[in-house]
Amino acid sequence: MIFGLPALIGFLPLAIYLYLAFKGKDLLVTVVICVLVGAILTGQTPVSLSAEIAKGLQSFLGLIGFIIMMGAGLGEVLTETKVARNLVDVLIKKVGIKSQNQAIIVTMLISTLLVSLLGTLAGANAMITPILIPIVSSFGITPNALAVILHGAGACGLFLGPFVPPVITLMGLTNLSYGEYLVSVGLPVAILVLLSTYYTGRKVQKQYEGVETYSQEDLNINEDFTATPETSRATFVFALVMIGMLIYGIFAKAGAAYAVLVMLVVAFSTGLAAGKSLMEIVQSLIKGSTRMFWLFFMFVLYDPFLNFVTMTGAFEKLGELLKPLIEVSGDIGFIIISTLVGVFGVSGAAVAQSVVLNDLFKNIVADINLPMTIWATVLLIGSQITSFAYPTGDMIGQMGLARSKDLKSMIRNGITITIVMIIYIILRAVIYSI
């Protein structure tokens, strides 16, 4: 009981969060409100509230927020040194695209790769679309199809990148190594999403080919680019250092904190190779990181927000109420229900979604001794497929980048992927229970 009220009233901050998030309200303001409501419910004083916020700075969520900031800083370094642009240029021109089908596949691979390196769907695809549009247009690819391709393929980069926030979060929540996560969780989901996206992209292309085309204004957005010796050198150093540190991290079974060192080492080695001074590199890191400070602050506040819900006993009460349902439906029912709750019942930033979903059900996961590879799959699908199940900002953003106004095709692809993922999690649940 909380001040004589039922324990489930402790879910009030979470209910407010879900409601405001679905309404599209500012997430930082939403979390601040939830922290204050949680503090009132748990009887916090100004001193104890400040102590809880201070704990948030040292929490796993605080670390994830800092990693997101550092990722934005690294992205700025790669942008200013032209390394990101050179990577795309090399990949496109060296492949030698000869057909429409090759253009679609190469676009998907480039989007997935760059998102996995930069850790941002919008930022990475914004970087490549000015280069891609004139190329794909020459093969007759429509804006409608390109938007579908960018959304589906780019999202897969967030499932696979070793240092992207969603992957680091899932590894931290489940204690899986990157190798275990990649083989059992990330790759299977990414392959299915890529195949679904390719299928829908081809269908959309066939439907609109000759009907929707790029205008001359769209085709003029691609500026000439020639890599300087410094840019080529920096690109080589970036690839070498990133791959080297990734291999070391896998063998050393490095945790989430290792991502901070990787980003710093990669940023400075790449910047120095491009001829930048140490101060210029620091300024680039700060410039990029500043854009994500609001997100870092929000993740620091997420810790007391969720801790207050825990203090009320709401999570334990939920577990007690769900026990009869789990006894009837078994592990299969729990896996399916928790995934659907994540996809359709929790909204907001994907990393936050996975944390909220984990906090909701982690006690039950421990009680039924569910393997972490399966639970990580539930968290991944439950947090990431929301952007396909609804016309979210990610979906609309990719339409804008591709110069498409065809929301219908985006929703079509999103529904297809959502259905495929639900079928996949059902099959995983059935196979596990056998």
Side-chain angles (χ1 to χ4, degrees), residues 45-57:
T45 66
V47 173
S48 63
L49 175 59
S50 62
E52 289 296 326
I53 294 174
K55 289 178 186 176
L57 287 167

Side-chain angles (χ1 to χ4, degrees), residues 157 168 183 191-192 220 235 243 314 345-346 379 386 401 407-408 414 427 430:
I168 293 173
V183 171
I191 289 171
L192 289 173
N220 288 334
T235 303
I243 293 171
V346 181
L379 294 177
T386 302
L401 292 176
L407 181 59
K408 181 179 178 181
L427 290 175
V430 171

Side-chain angles (χ1 to χ4, degrees), residues 104 107-108 111-112 121 125 129 141-156 193-205 207-208 214 387-388 394-417:
I104 290 175
T107 297
M108 292 177 69
S111 177
T112 301
L121 173 64
N125 280 345
T129 44
I141 293 177
T142 64
N144 317 57
L146 182 60
V148 167
I149 291 165
L150 289 175
H151 186 209
C156 289
V193 171
L194 286 171
L195 290 175
S196 298
T197 299
Y198 175 77
Y199 171 78
T200 306
R202 292 292 294 174
K203 295 280 285 187
V204 170
Q205 174 61 27
Q207 180 180 354
Y208 290 99
Y214 281 104
S387 67
F388 292 101
D394 281 342
M395 185 183 289
I396 305 301
Q398 302 315 300
M399 286 174 56
L401 292 176
R403 313 296 193 266
S404 171
K405 298 177 182 178
D406 181 16
L407 181 59
K408 181 179 178 181
S409 292
M410 301 296 286
I411 294 175
R412 177 179 169 187
N413 183 51
I415 291 174
T416 301
I417 288 173

Side-chain angles (χ1 to χ4, degrees), residues 232-314:
S232 298
R233 182 172 63 247
T235 303
F236 174 77
V237 169
F238 165 76
L240 185 66
V241 174
M242 178 64 84
I243 293 171
M245 296 200 74
L246 172 58
I247 292 172
Y248 173 80
I250 291 173
F251 280 100
K253 296 183 178 180
Y258 180 66
V260 177
L261 179 64
V262 170
M263 291 177 187
L264 286 172
V265 172
V266 171
F268 279 100
S269 58
T270 302
L272 291 172
K276 299 279 187 181
S277 69
L278 289 174
M279 184 53 65
E280 287 174 327
I281 297 170
V282 170
Q283 289 172 346
S284 296
L285 283 170
I286 293 173
K287 180 181 177 182
S289 298
T290 300
R291 299 192 189 102
M292 290 290 106
F293 177 75
W294 71 272
L295 201 58
F296 167 69
F297 185 41
M298 184 183 77
F299 273 85
V300 169
L301 293 179
Y302 257 112
D303 191 67
F305 158 37
L306 294 174
N307 283 343
F308 291 154
V309 177
T310 301
M311 288 178 191
T312 65

Side-chain angles (χ1 to χ4, degrees), residues 100-101 104 136-145 201-213:
Q100 187 180 91
N101 196 51
I104 290 175
V136 300
S137 175
S138 67
F139 290 94
I141 293 177
T142 64
N144 317 57
R202 292 292 294 174
K203 295 280 285 187
V204 170
Q205 174 61 27
K206 184 177 180 180
Q207 180 180 354
Y208 290 99
E209 190 167 8
V211 178
E212 297 284 348
T213 58

Side-chain angles (χ1 to χ4, degrees), residues 64-107:
I64 294 299
F66 185 71
I67 288 171
I68 291 173
M69 279 208 312
M70 291 301 301
L74 173 59
E76 186 67 26
V77 172
L78 297 181
T79 300
E80 292 187 1
T81 58
K82 304 292 184 183
V83 167
R85 173 63 193 271
N86 192 37
L87 279 171
V88 177
D89 207 58
V90 168
L91 287 169
I92 291 176
K93 293 182 178 178
K94 298 300 181 185
V95 167
I97 301 172
K98 297 177 182 177
S99 68
Q100 187 180 91
N101 196 51
Q102 284 184 0
I104 290 175
I105 293 173
V106 170
T107 297

